[in-house]
Amino acid sequence: MSTAAGYPVVEGIAIATPSSSSAPQHVESLKSAKTSRTTVSEPPPQELLKTLQARGFPKGLSKLLHGSLHAFPLRIWLLDNSGSMTIADGQRPVTDNRGKLKMIKCTRWQELVHTALGIAGLSVDLGARTDFHLLNRNDAGQYLSLDASGGACAVGAAGGEGDQQALETLLSLSPLGTTPLTAAVTKIISLIEPAAQTLLHNGQQVVVVIATDGVPDNPAGFLEALRLLQRLPVWVVVRLCTSDDAIVEYWADLDKSLEAPLEVIDDLAGEAEEVMKVNPWLVYGDAFHQARQFGVRDKLFDLLDETALQPPQIKQLCAMLFGESALPEPEVDAKAFVDAVKDLADKAPRVHDVRTGHAAHWIDAKALKRAVTKYDGGGCAIL
């Protein structure tokens, strides 16, 4: 996986307090996105840290989530609800009454709905605006802006403002239709383009997540639309909802045809398998996966499933996860480093290991020791 160069530095902002009144029901028109004042570099409130901890996010990852709100004040999720999403080769995590995680079979659409609702819940907790666009209109509508008052973002909304219940209603209908990705991306361009200069002035981008299982109806037109989108202040993520080789190959080839690389993310089980194949010391779980899909961005995240991280990179990732920068140098004192990371992992919320289904520490101490002691210190890592 790769990311575009030149993205803004993640900084913290104050979180807008959600209104205590009930959110309005979903409607099909919203004249413009609401905005609120933001203050850069403020730490996340303790209550927010507690809320995110209950969701399974360790302290450092929670701070990264909060900090991402300034760099990425808006997320737009384009949800593929074409007919092929009814194919039952998806999977989603569920926890049984003994607390064991299981990946159960479901349709591709059910898997995507589970992901979208998770992102929605995270958005509400953070007071962050996230817009959801269906690829094909259904009887409940097509667009919904969740917490449109969150974040200082000048980008207009395609449709109505709604709450999580309205989103559940929008996503409750079965997929039906084709894959008009070109028209959908063109719509997103029309929303972002008027606010492009404001976003650039603020050093901000919009996260655009294309969640799909297929190839667009008009591949040539889609390529041109994607090129136009990438000329705007955006970070484009592709969330694949299939492991079909032909589809995976299409998106890989498309990436090579673009000026700016795409970030391509698999489902939780697939991503965890790839990450832990080359970095077995890290237990890659749902919280990490959600953070990446939400807008937490770092070059190290791209490398996780591509190569075994070297000691300096491992130290940097552990510092980011747990919010602790004063870690021993692993190439100077590997034992002290492993012991320090193990202590941090012991204090952090447990993560479900998709390989075993059991709750585990974020870090496998024995595997971490092997990872930091197999280098002789003769080289350096490019971070």
Side-chain angles (χ1 to χ4, degrees):
M1 299 178 190
S2 56
T3 57
Y7 49 83
V9 176
V10 172
E11 299 177 282
I13 66 166
I15 291 182
T17 303
S19 172
S20 59
S21 61
S22 59
Q25 293 183 345
H26 175 56
V27 294
E28 281 302 312
S29 64
L30 185 66
K31 293 182 179 179
S32 63
K34 303 175 184 177
T35 60
S36 60
R37 291 186 63 189
T38 61
T39 304
V40 179
S41 299
E42 289 189 8
Q46 287 300 313
E47 284 304 311
L48 175 62
L49 290 177
K50 291 179 181 178
T51 298
L52 293 176
Q53 184 176 24
R55 281 186 172 270
F57 290 91
K59 182 179 179 180
L61 200 53
S62 297
K63 290 182 176 180
L64 290 175
L65 277 167
H66 178 261
S68 74
L69 300 184
H70 175 70
F72 304 107
L74 169 64
R75 286 136 296 283
I76 299 177
W77 274 70
L78 177 56
L79 306 175
D80 184 346
N81 63 336
S82 61
S84 61
M85 291 292 285
T86 59
I87 297 174
D89 61 358
Q91 52 183 342
R92 60 185 179 89
V94 296
T95 305
D96 64 20
N97 54 14
R98 295 175 297 173
K100 185 175 182 179
L101 183 77
K102 293 184 178 179
M103 300 299 295
I104 64 170
K105 290 290 184 182
C106 62
T107 66
R108 295 172 182 177
W109 178 244
Q110 288 170 328
E111 176 189 311
L112 180 54
V113 168
H114 175 84
T115 298
L117 293 178
I119 292 296
L122 194 55
S123 298
V124 170
D125 286 345
L126 288 162
R129 178 180 158 198
T130 303
D131 292 1
F132 295 91
H133 293 198
L134 290 182
L135 197 54
N136 298 288
R137 176 181 290 273
N138 64 27
D139 289 342
Q142 188 169 8
Y143 308 109
L144 186 142
S145 184
L146 188 69
D147 197 4
S149 60
C153 184
V155 179
E161 182 180 355
D163 57 13
Q164 288 174 281
Q165 184 176 359
L167 179 62
E168 290 179 15
T169 300
L170 184 66
L171 303 182
S172 65
L173 301 181
S174 297
L176 184 66
T178 58
T179 316
L181 284 170
T182 304
V185 169
T186 301
K187 176 70 174 180
I188 293 172
I189 292 171
S190 73
L191 297 171
I192 298 175
E193 198 167 32
Q197 290 304 314
T198 300
L199 290 167
L200 289 169
H201 176 76
N202 293 334
Q204 296 175 322
Q205 291 180 308
V206 176
V207 180
V208 178
V209 181
I210 302 172
T212 182
D213 72 336
V215 174
D217 290 351
N218 178 5
F222 178 67
L223 174 59
E224 183 57 30
L226 210 52
R227 285 172 173 164
L228 291 173
L229 178 64
Q230 288 192 323
R231 290 172 190 164
L232 297 172
V234 299
W235 174 36
V236 182
V237 178
V238 176
R239 167 60 164 86
L240 287 180
C241 303
T242 179
S243 56
D244 183 283
D245 290 341
I247 304 301
V248 173
E249 184 177 354
Y250 165 78
W251 287 99
D253 290 342
L254 181 67
D255 187 18
K256 299 172 186 176
S257 303
L258 296 169
E259 296 178 10
L262 295 173
E263 170 80 359
V264 182
I265 300 179
D266 202 347
D267 63 15
L268 172 59
E271 201 73 18
E273 180 181 0
E274 292 298 316
V275 168
M276 292 188 282
K277 186 185 301 180
V278 289
N279 290 289
W281 52 270
L282 174 66
V283 180
Y284 185 93
D286 194 42
F288 204 142
H289 200 54
Q290 276 197 340
R292 293 179 66 197
Q293 295 175 108
F294 186 82
V296 175
R297 184 180 186 183
D298 193 276
K299 180 61 180 176
L300 277 183
F301 297 169
D302 297 341
L303 296 177
L304 278 176
D305 68 342
E306 297 175 1
T307 185
L309 298 188
Q310 296 185 30
Q313 297 168 314
I314 294 174
K315 177 188 175 183
Q316 182 182 350
L317 186 67
C318 290
M320 291 166 62
L321 274 178
F322 301 118
E324 177 56 67
S325 58
L327 290 172
E329 289 294 340
E331 292 172 289
V332 174
D333 192 338
K335 184 180 184 303
F337 172 74
V338 172
D339 288 346
V341 172
K342 183 178 183 300
D343 183 59
L344 291 171
D346 287 344
K347 297 174 182 176
R350 298 294 185 267
V351 57
H352 274 106
D353 188 337
V354 297
R355 298 168 298 184
T356 65
H358 295 294
H361 295 291
W362 279 80
I363 304 297
D364 181 328
K366 291 182 179 179
L368 179 64
K369 181 180 179 181
R370 291 192 294 269
V372 297
T373 56
K374 68 181 179 180
Y375 294 95
D376 61 6
C380 64
I382 300 175
L383 301 180

